[in-house]
Amino acid sequence: MAPVTSSRDAFDEIPSMVGLVSGFGLVFTVSLFSWICCQRKSTKSNTTPPYKFVHVLKGVNIYPESLNSKKKFGADEKTELAPKSLISKTSLHLDLEKRDLNGNIPKANKVRSSPDLEDFSQPQLPEKDKDSISPESVKSNASILSVDKQDKLGTLFFAVEYNFEKKAFVVNIKEARSLPAMDEQSMMSDPYIKMTILPEKKHKVKTRVLRKTLDPAFDETFTFYGIPYSQVQDLVLHFIILSFDRFSRDDVIGEVCFPLLGIDLSDGRVLMNREINKRNVRKSAGRGELLISLCYQSTTNTLTVVVLKARHLPKVDVSGLSDPYVKVNLYHAKKRISKKKTHVKKCTPNAVFNELFVFDIPCEGLEDISVEFLVMDSDRGSRNEAVGRLILGSSADGTGGEHWKEICEHPRRQIAKWHMLCDG
């Protein structure tokens, strides 16, 4: 008869069986984890770097099979994981191959290029031409080219016609091409054009400002009424091309003067184009004179400026009279730090102002200080025009420098002098 195990013995064997199963499970989980880690490592090593993005930027084929080791984004893993000992051995081996029996590295002999290669790399010149070419000639040619580029200020395109029905003279400012860049940062300009009909300067107009362009297309038409056709031949169109500057005075690019003498407008519109020339800014004895009194107080470090009189101011309006006033600007190291202006004197070429201004000097002495006087003509209908200009300072020429030197040598003394005005 077979032995019968009791329930107590069966219960005693359960813990041993549970421990065996748990041991097998632990071994299985550890082996599974290690297998997963090995698989991830192998997949990472087999994956290729993102060649497509890099190669498109480099302009080469996007497939990595056609690339050599120099065009790849990174080095291969085999080269990265190479032991340092192998690298040192190979470099030492190459270094020993370069040395001679005494252990010294021989000097490399200069290899002369063949005549064919010389002909291909450099064009042969006759001996006379070679002797004539020198660095001085190259510099002179470069300077001539640079001067030509600076002198070329662009071209202005416009049209003129006369409307016989309305008895009006019509000017159409079309465009300007190849203007120079007045802004050094953006290498652009903000051009606009001011036009005046000479000789009376009665009619003054200006176009709108076009932002950041060297080829502005204005296409603006201006009609001037009350000009008989018989007087058109005596007129001169004066165009001034400027670049707008928000933080300082507008830059003058150039000007165009176009006399209408010999232009026949009876057949209709006439299209014209003229090269833009550099503006001719010259001193003029016909700008009038200005009487200025200065006094430097060294103790309080102040400068007293008195605008006394102006005389022989030029004719600005058609009536022959002007409405002058004076703007006084104080500069320190070529930067304006203060400004004043007088009252307007109506209808007179010989104005009496007698107005005093006191300026605080931010530094000791007057070496870096200068005063600018602008005689303006007040005009309600248009922008006020500068009649004349005067600079007083240590670097000023003529009477302006002499007057400044006298007030520096004799502080606390009021010194007055007449000064000739120049073009503003």
Side-chain angles (χ1 to χ4, degrees):
M1 188 175 180
V4 179
T5 60
S6 61
S7 61
R8 185 174 184 180
D9 297 335
F11 281 109
D12 293 338
E13 293 177 0
I14 290 174
S16 61
M17 294 176 64
V18 171
L20 183 62
V21 172
S22 62
F24 280 114
L26 181 60
V27 172
F28 177 75
T29 54
V30 171
S31 60
L32 180 63
F33 179 73
S34 61
W35 181 80
I36 291 173
C37 290
C38 292
Q39 288 294 327
R40 289 183 178 179
K41 188 175 181 181
S42 61
T43 53
K44 286 183 179 179
S45 61
N46 292 329
T47 55
T48 57
Y51 288 103
K52 184 175 181 179
F53 178 74
V54 176
H55 301 330
V56 169
L57 288 180
K58 289 186 176 182
V60 298
N61 198 342
I62 62 174
Y63 298 103
E65 290 79 4
S66 61
L67 299 177
N68 55 19
S69 59
K70 293 183 179 179
K71 292 184 180 179
K72 289 184 180 179
F73 181 74
D76 296 335
E77 291 184 357
K78 294 181 181 180
T79 58
E80 290 179 356
L81 299 177
K84 295 182 180 179
S85 60
L86 293 176
I87 298 174
S88 61
K89 287 180 181 180
T90 54
S91 61
L92 179 61
H93 179 67
L94 294 174
D95 190 12
L96 289 175
E97 287 181 352
K98 294 179 181 179
R99 297 178 182 272
D100 56 8
L101 296 176
N102 296 326
N104 299 323
I105 298 176
K107 295 182 179 179
N109 296 326
K110 295 182 180 179
V111 180
R112 296 183 180 178
S113 59
S114 62
D116 297 336
L117 293 178
E118 291 179 356
D119 294 340
F120 178 75
S121 59
Q122 296 179 355
Q124 290 184 350
L125 295 174
E127 295 180 357
K128 295 181 180 180
D129 296 341
K130 288 182 180 180
D131 296 336
S132 62
I133 295 175
S134 62
E136 297 178 355
S137 62
V138 174
K139 289 181 181 179
S140 62
N141 293 332
S143 62
I144 291 172
L145 292 175
S146 61
V147 170
D148 292 342
K149 289 182 179 179
Q150 291 178 359
D151 292 341
K152 292 182 180 179
L153 302 177
T155 308
L156 178 65
F157 296 83
F158 59 96
V160 292
E161 64 177 328
Y162 191 83
N163 192 332
F164 291 93
E165 295 180 358
K166 299 181 180 180
K167 295 182 179 180
F169 177 64
V170 182
V171 179
N172 177 251
I173 301 177
K174 292 187 171 296
E175 60 180 346
R177 296 178 186 174
S178 303
L179 297 180
M182 305 305 292
D183 190 353
E184 296 179 356
Q185 295 181 355
S186 63
M187 296 305 295
M188 285 291 176
S189 297
D190 300 329
Y192 69 97
I193 297 177
K194 295 171 63 175
M195 191 196 75
T196 306
I197 299 180
L198 303 178
E200 294 183 352
K201 297 183 180 180
K202 182 179 179 180
H203 302 282
K204 301 178 183 179
V205 295
K206 69 176 181 178
T207 66
R208 66 188 187 278
V209 178
L210 298 182
R211 302 286 183 179
K212 295 183 179 181
T213 177
L214 301 180
D215 301 306
F218 299 101
D219 196 14
E220 296 188 33
T221 303
F222 302 97
T223 303
F224 304 96
Y225 297 92
I227 299 179
Y229 181 72
S230 58
Q231 297 181 3
V232 172
Q233 298 286 327
D234 300 331
L235 302 179
V236 177
L237 301 182
H238 183 214
F239 302 91
I240 301 178
I241 298 88
L242 303 102
S243 178
F244 176 76
D245 193 341
R246 181 178 296 178
F247 303 103
S248 63
R249 184 178 297 178
D250 295 347
D251 300 320
V252 178
I253 297 176
E255 66 177 356
V256 173
C257 290
F258 179 70
L260 294 175
L261 182 63
I263 304 299
D264 187 11
L265 300 179
S266 60
D267 296 335
R269 175 177 292 192
V270 178
L271 300 176
M272 305 297 297
N273 61 66
R274 288 292 183 271
E275 295 292 330
I276 300 174
N277 302 316
K278 189 175 181 180
R279 191 179 183 187
N280 187 13
V281 180
R282 60 184 183 276
K283 291 186 178 181
S284 174
R287 295 284 95 188
E289 297 177 83
L290 191 63
L291 180 60
I292 299 295
S293 176
L294 299 177
C295 179
Y296 174 58
Q297 297 287 344
S298 58
T299 56
T300 58
N301 207 24
T302 57
L303 180 66
T304 303
V305 179
V306 184
V307 181
L308 296 172
K309 297 180 181 179
R311 65 185 181 187
H312 308 312
L313 297 179
K315 183 176 84 170
V316 178
D317 296 337
V318 181
S319 60
L321 301 175
S322 58
D323 302 329
Y325 69 97
V326 181
K327 296 171 67 175
V328 184
N329 299 319
L330 182 70
Y331 288 87
H332 174 242
K334 298 182 180 181
K335 181 180 180 182
R336 189 174 68 179
I337 57 176
S338 182
K339 60 180 181 178
K340 306 284 185 180
K341 69 177 180 178
T342 67
H343 293 86
V344 178
K345 301 299 178 179
K346 295 288 185 180
C347 301
T348 175
N350 302 307
V352 179
F353 299 100
N354 287 332
E355 297 191 34
L356 181 145
F357 306 102
V358 179
F359 297 97
D360 294 327
I361 306 302
C363 59
E364 295 183 1
L366 300 176
E367 295 179 357
D368 297 332
I369 301 297
S370 60
V371 184
E372 178 189 36
F373 300 88
L374 291 174
V375 181
M376 309 293 294
D377 178 39
S378 178
D379 192 351
R380 293 183 180 181
S382 61
R383 190 176 180 179
N384 298 339
E385 184 181 359
V387 177
R389 182 170 177 259
L390 171 65
I391 297 291
L392 299 183
S394 57
S395 59
D397 298 330
T399 58
E402 296 174 359
H403 195 176
W404 197 261
K405 185 178 179 180
E406 288 185 19
I407 66 169
C408 292
E409 294 176 350
H410 304 89
R412 293 181 297 176
R413 181 186 296 182
Q414 201 82 20
I415 300 176
K417 277 193 174 185
W418 283 99
H419 299 277
M420 299 292 296
L421 297 174
C422 63
D423 290 340

